[in-house]
Coordinates of all heavy atoms in Angstrom, one line a residue:
M162 N 28.7 -22.2 14.3 CA 27.2 -22.5 14.5 C 26.9 -22.9 15.9 O 27.6 -23.8 16.4 CB 26.8 -23.5 13.5 CG 25.3 -23.7 13.2 SD 24.5 -22.3 12.4 CE 25.0 -22.4 10.7
V163 N 25.9 -22.3 16.5 CA 25.5 -22.7 17.8 C 24.0 -23.1 17.8 O 23.2 -22.6 17.0 CB 25.7 -21.6 18.9 CG1 27.2 -21.3 19.1 CG2 24.9 -20.3 18.5
T164 N 23.6 -24.0 18.7 CA 22.2 -24.4 18.8 C 21.6 -23.5 19.9 O 22.1 -23.1 20.9 CB 22.1 -25.8 19.3 OG1 22.7 -26.6 18.2 CG2 20.6 -26.2 19.4
V165 N 20.3 -23.1 19.6 CA 19.6 -22.1 20.5 C 18.3 -22.8 20.8 O 17.5 -23.3 20.0 CB 19.3 -20.8 19.7 CG1 18.5 -19.9 20.6 CG2 20.5 -20.2 19.2
I166 N 18.0 -22.8 22.2 CA 16.7 -23.3 22.7 C 16.1 -22.1 23.4 O 16.7 -21.6 24.4 CB 16.9 -24.5 23.6 CG1 17.5 -25.6 22.8 CG2 15.5 -24.9 24.1 CD1 17.9 -26.8 23.6
L167 N 15.0 -21.6 23.0 CA 14.3 -20.4 23.6 C 12.9 -20.8 24.0 O 12.1 -21.4 23.2 CB 14.3 -19.3 22.6 CG 13.7 -18.0 23.1 CD1 14.4 -16.8 22.5 CD2 12.2 -17.9 22.8
T168 N 12.6 -20.5 25.3 CA 11.2 -20.8 25.8 C 10.6 -19.5 26.4 O 11.3 -18.8 27.1 CB 11.3 -21.9 26.9 OG1 11.9 -23.1 26.3 CG2 9.9 -22.2 27.4
H169 N 9.4 -19.3 26.1 CA 8.7 -18.2 26.8 C 7.2 -18.5 26.7 O 6.7 -19.3 26.0 CB 9.0 -16.8 26.2 CG 8.8 -16.7 24.7 ND1 7.6 -16.9 24.1 CD2 9.6 -16.4 23.7 CE1 7.7 -16.7 22.8 NE2 9.0 -16.4 22.5
E170 N 6.4 -17.7 27.5 CA 5.0 -17.9 27.6 C 4.3 -16.7 26.8 O 4.8 -15.6 26.8 CB 4.5 -17.9 29.0 CG 3.0 -18.2 29.1 CD 2.5 -18.4 30.5 OE1 3.3 -18.2 31.5 OE2 1.3 -18.7 30.7
V171 N 3.3 -17.1 26.1 CA 2.5 -16.1 25.3 C 1.1 -16.0 25.8 O 0.6 -17.0 26.4 CB 2.6 -16.4 23.8 CG1 4.0 -16.4 23.3 CG2 1.9 -17.7 23.5
K172 N 0.4 -14.9 25.5 CA -1.0 -14.8 25.9 C -1.9 -15.7 25.1 O -2.8 -16.4 25.7 CB -1.5 -13.4 25.7 CG -1.0 -12.3 26.6 CD -1.5 -11.0 26.3 CE -0.8 -9.9 27.1 NZ -1.3 -8.6 26.7
N173 N -1.7 -15.8 23.8 CA -2.5 -16.6 22.9 C -1.6 -17.2 21.8 O -1.1 -16.5 21.0 CB -3.6 -15.7 22.3 CG -4.5 -16.4 21.3 OD1 -4.1 -16.9 20.3 ND2 -5.7 -16.5 21.7
F174 N -1.5 -18.5 21.8 CA -0.6 -19.2 20.9 C -0.9 -18.9 19.5 O 0.0 -18.6 18.7 CB -0.6 -20.7 21.1 CG 0.3 -21.4 20.1 CD1 1.6 -21.4 20.2 CD2 -0.3 -22.0 19.0 CE1 2.4 -22.1 19.3 CE2 0.5 -22.6 18.0 CZ 1.8 -22.7 18.2
S175 N -2.2 -18.9 19.1 CA -2.6 -18.7 17.7 C -2.1 -17.4 17.2 O -1.6 -17.2 16.1 CB -4.1 -18.9 17.5 OG -4.4 -20.3 17.8
E176 N -2.4 -16.3 18.0 CA -2.0 -15.0 17.6 C -0.4 -14.9 17.5 O 0.1 -14.3 16.6 CB -2.5 -14.0 18.6 CG -4.0 -13.8 18.5 CD -4.6 -12.9 19.6 OE1 -3.8 -12.2 20.2 OE2 -5.8 -12.9 19.7
W177 N 0.2 -15.4 18.5 CA 1.7 -15.4 18.5 C 2.3 -16.1 17.3 O 3.2 -15.6 16.6 CB 2.2 -16.1 19.8 CG 3.7 -16.2 19.8 CD1 4.6 -15.2 20.2 CD2 4.5 -17.3 19.3 NE1 5.9 -15.7 20.0 CE2 5.8 -17.0 19.4 CE3 4.1 -18.5 18.8 CZ2 6.9 -17.8 19.1 CZ3 5.2 -19.4 18.4 CH2 6.5 -19.0 18.5
K178 N 1.7 -17.3 17.0 CA 2.2 -18.1 15.9 C 2.1 -17.4 14.5 O 3.0 -17.4 13.7 CB 1.5 -19.4 15.8 CG 1.8 -20.3 14.6 CD 3.2 -20.9 14.7 CE 3.5 -22.1 13.8 NZ 3.6 -21.8 12.4
A179 N 1.0 -16.7 14.3 CA 0.8 -15.9 13.1 C 1.9 -14.9 12.9 O 2.5 -14.7 11.9 CB -0.6 -15.3 13.0
G180 N 2.2 -14.1 14.0 CA 3.2 -13.1 14.0 C 4.6 -13.7 13.9 O 5.5 -13.2 13.2
Y181 N 4.8 -14.8 14.5 CA 6.1 -15.6 14.4 C 6.4 -15.9 13.0 O 7.5 -15.7 12.4 CB 6.1 -16.8 15.3 CG 7.3 -17.7 15.2 CD1 8.5 -17.4 15.8 CD2 7.2 -18.8 14.3 CE1 9.6 -18.3 15.7 CE2 8.3 -19.6 14.2 CZ 9.5 -19.4 14.9 OH 10.6 -20.2 14.7
D182 N 5.4 -16.5 12.3 CA 5.5 -16.9 10.9 C 5.9 -15.7 10.0 O 6.7 -15.7 9.1 CB 4.3 -17.6 10.4 CG 4.1 -19.0 11.0 OD1 5.1 -19.5 11.6 OD2 3.0 -19.5 10.9
E183 N 5.2 -14.5 10.3 CA 5.5 -13.3 9.5 C 6.9 -12.8 9.7 O 7.4 -12.0 8.8 CB 4.4 -12.2 9.9 CG 3.0 -12.6 9.4 CD 2.0 -11.5 9.8 OE1 2.4 -10.5 10.4 OE2 0.8 -11.8 9.7
D184 N 7.5 -13.1 10.8 CA 8.8 -12.6 11.1 C 10.0 -13.4 10.6 O 11.2 -13.2 10.9 CB 9.0 -12.4 12.6 CG 9.9 -11.3 13.0 OD1 10.0 -10.3 12.4 OD2 10.6 -11.5 14.1
E185 N 9.7 -14.4 9.8 CA 10.7 -15.4 9.3 C 11.9 -14.6 8.5 O 13.0 -15.0 8.7 CB 10.1 -16.4 8.4 CG 11.1 -17.3 7.7 CD 11.8 -18.2 8.7 OE1 11.3 -18.5 9.8 OE2 12.9 -18.7 8.4
A186 N 11.5 -13.7 7.7 CA 12.6 -13.0 6.9 C 13.6 -12.3 7.8 O 14.8 -12.3 7.6 CB 11.9 -11.9 6.0
R187 N 13.1 -11.7 9.0 CA 14.1 -11.0 9.9 C 15.0 -12.1 10.5 O 16.2 -11.8 10.7 CB 13.3 -10.2 10.9 CG 14.3 -9.4 11.7 CD 13.7 -8.2 12.3 NE 12.4 -8.4 12.9 CZ 12.0 -8.1 14.1 NH1 12.8 -7.5 14.9 NH2 10.8 -8.3 14.5
R188 N 14.5 -13.2 10.9 CA 15.3 -14.3 11.5 C 16.3 -14.7 10.5 O 17.5 -14.9 10.8 CB 14.4 -15.4 12.0 CG 13.6 -15.1 13.2 CD 13.0 -16.3 13.8 NE 12.1 -17.0 12.9 CZ 10.8 -16.7 12.8 NH1 10.3 -15.7 13.4 NH2 10.0 -17.4 12.0
Q189 N 15.9 -15.0 9.2 CA 16.9 -15.4 8.2 C 18.0 -14.3 8.0 O 19.1 -14.7 7.9 CB 16.1 -15.7 6.9 CG 15.3 -16.9 6.9 CD 14.7 -17.2 5.6 OE1 14.7 -16.4 4.7 NE2 14.0 -18.4 5.5
Q190 N 17.6 -13.1 7.9 CA 18.5 -12.0 7.8 C 19.6 -12.0 8.9 O 20.7 -11.6 8.7 CB 17.8 -10.7 7.7 CG 18.7 -9.5 7.4 CD 17.9 -8.2 7.3 OE1 16.8 -8.1 7.8 NE2 18.5 -7.2 6.6
A191 N 19.2 -12.3 10.1 CA 20.1 -12.4 11.2 C 20.9 -13.7 11.3 O 21.7 -13.8 12.2 CB 19.3 -12.2 12.5
G192 N 20.7 -14.6 10.3 CA 21.4 -15.8 10.3 C 20.9 -16.9 11.2 O 21.6 -17.8 11.6
L193 N 19.6 -16.8 11.6 CA 19.0 -17.8 12.4 C 18.2 -18.8 11.6 O 17.5 -18.4 10.7 CB 18.0 -17.1 13.4 CG 18.7 -16.1 14.3 CD1 17.6 -15.4 15.2 CD2 19.7 -16.7 15.2
K194 N 18.3 -20.0 11.9 CA 17.6 -21.1 11.2 C 16.8 -21.9 12.2 O 17.4 -22.6 13.0 CB 18.5 -22.0 10.4 CG 17.8 -23.1 9.6 CD 18.8 -23.9 8.9 CE 18.1 -25.1 8.3 NZ 19.1 -26.1 7.7
M195 N 15.5 -21.7 12.3 CA 14.7 -22.4 13.3 C 14.4 -23.8 12.7 O 13.9 -23.9 11.6 CB 13.5 -21.6 13.6 CG 13.7 -20.3 14.2 SD 14.5 -20.3 15.8 CE 16.1 -19.7 15.5
S196 N 14.5 -24.8 13.6 CA 14.3 -26.2 13.1 C 13.1 -26.9 13.8 O 12.6 -27.9 13.4 CB 15.5 -27.0 13.3 OG 15.9 -27.0 14.6
G197 N 12.6 -26.3 14.9 CA 11.5 -26.9 15.7 C 10.8 -25.9 16.5 O 11.3 -25.0 17.0
L198 N 9.5 -26.1 16.6 CA 8.6 -25.3 17.4 C 7.7 -26.2 18.2 O 7.1 -27.2 17.7 CB 7.7 -24.4 16.5 CG 6.7 -23.5 17.1 CD1 7.4 -22.5 18.1 CD2 5.9 -22.7 16.1
Y199 N 7.7 -26.0 19.5 CA 7.0 -26.9 20.5 C 6.1 -26.1 21.4 O 6.4 -25.0 21.7 CB 8.0 -27.7 21.3 CG 9.0 -28.5 20.4 CD1 10.1 -27.8 19.9 CD2 8.7 -29.8 20.0 CE1 11.0 -28.5 19.1 CE2 9.6 -30.5 19.2 CZ 10.7 -29.8 18.7 OH 11.6 -30.5 17.9
R200 N 5.1 -26.8 21.9 CA 4.2 -26.3 23.0 C 4.3 -27.2 24.2 O 4.3 -28.4 24.0 CB 2.8 -26.2 22.4 CG 2.6 -25.2 21.3 CD 1.3 -25.4 20.6 NE 0.2 -24.6 21.4 CZ -1.0 -24.6 21.0 NH1 -1.4 -25.2 19.9 NH2 -1.9 -23.9 21.7
A201 N 4.2 -26.6 25.3 CA 4.3 -27.4 26.6 C 3.0 -28.2 26.7 O 1.9 -27.8 26.3 CB 4.5 -26.5 27.8
V202 N 3.1 -29.5 27.2 CA 2.0 -30.3 27.3 C 1.0 -29.8 28.3 O -0.2 -29.8 28.1 CB 2.4 -31.7 27.8 CG1 1.3 -32.6 28.1 CG2 3.3 -32.4 26.7
D203 N 1.5 -29.2 29.4 CA 0.6 -28.7 30.5 C 0.2 -27.3 30.3 O -0.7 -26.8 31.1 CB 1.3 -28.9 31.9 CG 2.6 -28.2 32.0 OD1 3.2 -27.7 30.9 OD2 3.1 -28.0 33.1
N204 N 0.7 -26.6 29.4 CA 0.3 -25.2 29.1 C 0.6 -24.9 27.6 O 1.8 -24.6 27.3 CB 1.1 -24.2 30.0 CG 0.6 -22.8 29.8 OD1 -0.1 -22.4 28.8 ND2 1.0 -21.9 30.7
P205 N -0.4 -24.9 26.8 CA -0.1 -24.8 25.3 C 0.3 -23.3 24.9 O 0.7 -23.1 23.8 CB -1.5 -25.1 24.7 CG -2.5 -25.0 25.8 CD -1.8 -25.2 27.1
N206 N 0.3 -22.4 25.9 CA 0.8 -21.1 25.6 C 2.3 -20.9 26.0 O 2.9 -19.8 25.9 CB 0.0 -20.0 26.3 CG -1.4 -19.9 25.6 OD1 -1.5 -19.9 24.4 ND2 -2.4 -19.7 26.4
V207 N 3.0 -22.0 26.5 CA 4.4 -22.0 26.7 C 5.0 -22.6 25.4 O 4.8 -23.7 25.1 CB 4.8 -22.7 28.0 CG1 6.3 -22.8 28.1 CG2 4.2 -22.1 29.2
V208 N 5.8 -21.8 24.8 CA 6.4 -22.1 23.5 C 7.9 -22.3 23.6 O 8.6 -21.4 24.2 CB 6.1 -21.0 22.5 CG1 6.6 -21.3 21.1 CG2 4.6 -20.7 22.4
T209 N 8.4 -23.3 22.9 CA 9.8 -23.5 22.8 C 10.2 -23.5 21.4 O 9.6 -24.3 20.6 CB 10.3 -24.8 23.5 OG1 10.0 -24.7 24.9 CG2 11.8 -25.0 23.4
V210 N 11.2 -22.8 21.0 CA 11.7 -22.7 19.6 C 13.2 -23.2 19.7 O 14.0 -22.8 20.5 CB 11.7 -21.3 19.1 CG1 12.2 -21.3 17.7 CG2 10.3 -20.7 19.2
I211 N 13.5 -24.1 18.8 CA 14.9 -24.7 18.7 C 15.4 -24.4 17.3 O 14.7 -24.5 16.3 CB 14.9 -26.2 18.9 CG1 14.3 -26.5 20.3 CG2 16.3 -26.8 18.8 CD1 14.2 -28.0 20.7
G212 N 16.7 -23.9 17.3 CA 17.3 -23.6 16.0 C 18.7 -23.4 16.1 O 19.4 -23.8 17.1
E213 N 19.3 -22.8 15.1 CA 20.7 -22.5 15.0 C 21.0 -21.1 14.7 O 20.2 -20.5 13.9 CB 21.4 -23.4 14.0 CG 21.4 -24.9 14.3 CD 22.1 -25.8 13.3 OE1 22.0 -25.4 12.1 OE2 22.7 -26.8 13.6
A214 N 22.1 -20.6 15.2 CA 22.5 -19.2 14.9 C 24.0 -19.3 14.4 O 24.7 -20.2 14.8 CB 22.5 -18.3 16.1
A215 N 24.3 -18.4 13.5 CA 25.7 -18.4 12.9 C 26.7 -18.3 14.0 O 27.8 -18.9 13.9 CB 25.8 -17.3 11.9
S216 N 26.4 -17.5 15.1 CA 27.4 -17.3 16.1 C 26.7 -16.8 17.4 O 25.5 -16.3 17.3 CB 28.5 -16.3 15.7 OG 27.9 -15.0 15.6
V217 N 27.3 -16.9 18.5 CA 26.7 -16.3 19.7 C 26.6 -14.8 19.5 O 25.5 -14.2 19.9 CB 27.6 -16.6 20.9 CG1 27.2 -15.8 22.2 CG2 27.7 -18.1 21.2
E218 N 27.5 -14.1 18.9 CA 27.4 -12.7 18.7 C 26.2 -12.4 17.8 O 25.5 -11.4 18.1 CB 28.7 -12.2 18.0 CG 29.9 -12.3 18.9 CD 30.5 -13.7 18.9 OE1 30.2 -14.6 18.1 OE2 31.3 -14.0 19.9
A219 N 26.0 -13.1 16.7 CA 24.8 -12.9 15.9 C 23.5 -13.1 16.7 O 22.6 -12.3 16.5 CB 24.8 -13.8 14.7
L220 N 23.5 -14.1 17.5 CA 22.3 -14.3 18.3 C 22.1 -13.2 19.3 O 20.9 -12.7 19.4 CB 22.4 -15.7 19.1 CG 21.3 -15.9 20.0 CD1 20.0 -16.1 19.3 CD2 21.6 -17.2 20.9
N221 N 23.1 -12.8 20.0 CA 23.0 -11.7 20.9 C 22.5 -10.4 20.3 O 21.7 -9.6 20.8 CB 24.3 -11.5 21.7 CG 24.6 -12.6 22.6 OD1 23.7 -13.3 23.1 ND2 25.9 -12.7 23.0
E222 N 23.0 -10.1 19.1 CA 22.6 -8.9 18.4 C 21.2 -9.0 18.0 O 20.4 -8.0 18.2 CB 23.5 -8.8 17.1 CG 23.2 -7.5 16.3 CD 24.0 -7.3 15.1 OE1 25.2 -7.8 15.1 OE2 23.6 -6.7 14.2
F223 N 20.7 -10.1 17.6 CA 19.3 -10.3 17.2 C 18.4 -10.2 18.5 O 17.4 -9.4 18.5 CB 19.1 -11.6 16.6 CG 17.6 -11.9 16.2 CD1 17.0 -11.3 15.1 CD2 16.9 -12.8 17.0 CE1 15.7 -11.6 14.8 CE2 15.6 -13.1 16.7 CZ 15.0 -12.5 15.6
M224 N 18.8 -10.8 19.5 CA 18.0 -10.9 20.8 C 18.0 -9.5 21.5 O 17.0 -9.2 22.2 CB 18.5 -11.9 21.7 CG 18.4 -13.4 21.3 SD 16.7 -13.9 21.1 CE 16.1 -13.8 22.7
S225 N 19.0 -8.7 21.3 CA 19.0 -7.4 22.0 C 18.4 -6.3 21.1 O 18.4 -5.1 21.6 CB 20.4 -7.0 22.4 OG 21.2 -6.9 21.2
S226 N 17.9 -6.6 19.9 CA 17.4 -5.5 19.1 C 16.1 -5.0 19.6 O 15.2 -5.7 20.0 CB 17.2 -6.0 17.6 OG 16.1 -6.9 17.5
P227 N 15.9 -3.6 19.5 CA 14.7 -3.0 19.9 C 13.5 -3.5 19.1 O 12.4 -3.6 19.6 CB 14.9 -1.5 19.7 CG 16.4 -1.4 19.6 CD 16.9 -2.7 19.1
E228 N 13.7 -3.9 17.8 CA 12.7 -4.4 16.9 C 12.1 -5.7 17.5 O 10.9 -5.9 17.5 CB 13.2 -4.5 15.5 CG 13.5 -3.2 14.8 CD 15.0 -2.8 15.1 OE1 15.8 -3.6 15.7 OE2 15.3 -1.7 14.7
L229 N 13.0 -6.6 17.9 CA 12.6 -7.8 18.5 C 11.7 -7.6 19.7 O 10.7 -8.2 19.9 CB 13.7 -8.8 18.7 CG 13.3 -10.1 19.3 CD1 12.4 -10.9 18.3 CD2 14.5 -11.0 19.7
K230 N 12.2 -6.8 20.6 CA 11.5 -6.5 21.8 C 10.1 -6.0 21.5 O 9.1 -6.4 22.1 CB 12.2 -5.5 22.7 CG 11.5 -5.2 24.0 CD 12.3 -4.2 24.8 CE 11.5 -3.9 26.1 NZ 12.2 -3.0 27.0
A231 N 10.0 -5.1 20.6 CA 8.6 -4.5 20.2 C 7.8 -5.6 19.6 O 6.6 -5.7 19.9 CB 8.8 -3.4 19.2
T232 N 8.4 -6.4 18.7 CA 7.6 -7.5 18.1 C 7.1 -8.5 19.2 O 5.9 -8.9 19.1 CB 8.5 -8.3 17.1 OG1 8.8 -7.4 16.0 CG2 7.7 -9.4 16.5
M233 N 7.9 -8.9 20.1 CA 7.5 -9.8 21.1 C 6.4 -9.2 22.0 O 5.4 -9.9 22.3 CB 8.7 -10.2 22.0 CG 9.7 -11.1 21.3 SD 11.2 -11.4 22.2 CE 10.6 -12.5 23.5
E234 N 6.5 -8.0 22.3 CA 5.4 -7.3 23.1 C 4.1 -7.3 22.3 O 3.0 -7.6 22.8 CB 5.8 -5.9 23.5 CG 6.8 -5.9 24.6 CD 7.3 -4.4 24.9 OE1 6.7 -3.5 24.4 OE2 8.2 -4.3 25.7
A235 N 4.2 -7.0 21.0 CA 3.0 -6.9 20.1 C 2.4 -8.3 19.9 O 1.2 -8.4 19.8 CB 3.4 -6.3 18.8
L236 N 3.2 -9.3 20.0 CA 2.7 -10.7 19.8 C 2.2 -11.3 21.1 O 1.8 -12.5 21.1 CB 3.7 -11.6 19.1 CG 4.1 -11.1 17.7 CD1 5.1 -12.1 17.1 CD2 2.9 -11.0 16.8
G237 N 2.3 -10.6 22.2 CA 1.8 -11.1 23.4 C 2.7 -12.0 24.2 O 2.2 -12.9 25.0
V238 N 4.0 -11.9 24.1 CA 4.9 -12.6 24.9 C 4.8 -12.0 26.3 O 4.9 -10.8 26.5 CB 6.4 -12.5 24.4 CG1 7.3 -13.2 25.4 CG2 6.5 -13.2 23.0
I239 N 4.5 -12.9 27.3 CA 4.3 -12.4 28.7 C 5.3 -12.9 29.7 O 5.2 -12.5 30.9 CB 2.9 -12.8 29.2 CG1 2.7 -14.4 29.1 CG2 1.8 -12.1 28.3 CD1 1.3 -14.8 29.7
S240 N 6.3 -13.6 29.2 CA 7.4 -13.9 30.2 C 8.7 -13.6 29.5 O 8.9 -13.6 28.3 CB 7.3 -15.4 30.6 OG 7.7 -16.3 29.5
A241 N 9.7 -13.4 30.4 CA 11.1 -13.2 29.8 C 11.5 -14.5 29.2 O 11.3 -15.6 29.7 CB 12.0 -12.8 30.9
P242 N 12.1 -14.4 28.0 CA 12.6 -15.7 27.4 C 13.7 -16.3 28.1 O 14.6 -15.7 28.6 CB 13.0 -15.2 26.0 CG 13.3 -13.8 26.1 CD 12.4 -13.3 27.2
E243 N 13.6 -17.7 28.2 CA 14.7 -18.5 28.8 C 15.5 -19.0 27.6 O 14.9 -19.7 26.7 CB 14.2 -19.6 29.6 CG 15.2 -20.5 30.1 CD 14.7 -21.7 30.9 OE1 13.6 -21.6 31.5 OE2 15.3 -22.8 30.7
V244 N 16.7 -18.6 27.5 CA 17.5 -18.9 26.3 C 18.7 -19.8 26.7 O 19.5 -19.4 27.6 CB 18.0 -17.6 25.6 CG1 18.8 -18.0 24.3 CG2 16.9 -16.7 25.3
K245 N 18.9 -20.9 26.0 CA 20.0 -21.7 26.2 C 20.8 -21.7 24.8 O 20.2 -21.9 23.8 CB 19.6 -23.1 26.6 CG 19.0 -23.2 27.9 CD 18.7 -24.6 28.3 CE 18.0 -24.6 29.6 NZ 17.5 -25.9 30.0
V246 N 22.1 -21.5 24.9 CA 22.9 -21.6 23.7 C 23.9 -22.7 23.9 O 24.7 -22.7 24.9 CB 23.7 -20.2 23.5 CG1 24.5 -20.2 22.3 CG2 22.7 -19.1 23.5
L247 N 24.0 -23.6 23.0 CA 24.8 -24.8 23.1 C 25.7 -25.0 21.9 O 25.3 -24.7 20.8 CB 23.8 -26.0 23.2 CG 22.7 -25.9 24.2 CD1 21.7 -27.0 24.0 CD2 23.3 -26.0 25.6
N248 N 26.9 -25.6 22.2 CA 27.7 -26.0 21.1 C 27.5 -27.5 20.9 O 27.5 -28.3 21.8 CB 29.2 -25.8 21.5 CG 29.6 -24.4 21.4 OD1 29.4 -23.8 20.4 ND2 30.3 -23.9 22.4
K249 N 27.4 -27.9 19.6 CA 27.2 -29.3 19.3 C 28.5 -30.0 19.4 O 29.6 -29.5 19.0 CB 26.6 -29.5 17.9 CG 26.3 -30.9 17.5 CD 25.6 -30.9 16.2 CE 25.2 -32.3 15.8 NZ 24.5 -32.4 14.5
I250 N 28.5 -31.2 20.0 CA 29.8 -32.0 20.1 C 29.6 -33.4 19.4 O 28.5 -33.8 19.2 CB 30.2 -32.2 21.6 CG1 29.1 -32.8 22.4 CG2 30.6 -30.8 22.1 CD1 29.5 -33.1 23.8

């Protein structure tokens, strides 16, 4: 299990959040368990998601899927995601 911290900017948080919620089943199917969702204090359209993935390989497979790319574009993601993958100690 690895911890994942992903940050990106979206055009409109409310629209992005609705689509993010609808995509929960696909995240679960990929073995991702999200535990926190945050907005930047100085820009509420900068979103950080914290969660866990079964493995780095599972995360990479999910993140590189064409379906995720299309979903992110449709939901108004306007910056490349900054992804940190961490091992808990």
Side-chain angles (χ1 to χ4, degrees):
M162 193 66 74
V163 294
T164 299
V165 180
I166 302 172
L167 181 142
T168 301
H169 55 59
E170 187 172 2
V171 299
K172 289 179 188 175
N173 178 294
F174 175 79
S175 297
E176 292 174 13
W177 173 87
K178 176 70 164 73
Y181 173 83
D182 290 344
E183 289 177 9
D184 206 36
E185 175 66 24
R187 188 158 40 131
R188 289 190 300 276
Q189 286 182 353
Q190 184 179 22
L193 303 175
K194 179 181 175 188
M195 300 293 113
S196 58
L198 180 59
Y199 304 86
R200 296 169 80 178
V202 172
D203 60 345
N204 182 348
N206 287 321
V207 173
V208 180
T209 297
V210 181
I211 299 175
E213 294 181 325
S216 67
V217 173
E218 295 78 17
L220 176 65
N221 288 340
E222 184 176 332
F223 178 77
M224 293 296 296
S225 65
S226 74
E228 295 85 8
L229 179 63
K230 182 178 179 180
T232 298
M233 289 175 70
E234 287 177 8
L236 296 180
V238 174
I239 59 174
S240 70
E243 178 185 322
V244 182
K245 293 182 183 175
V246 182
L247 309 167
N248 283 313
K249 186 174 183 178
I250 53 173

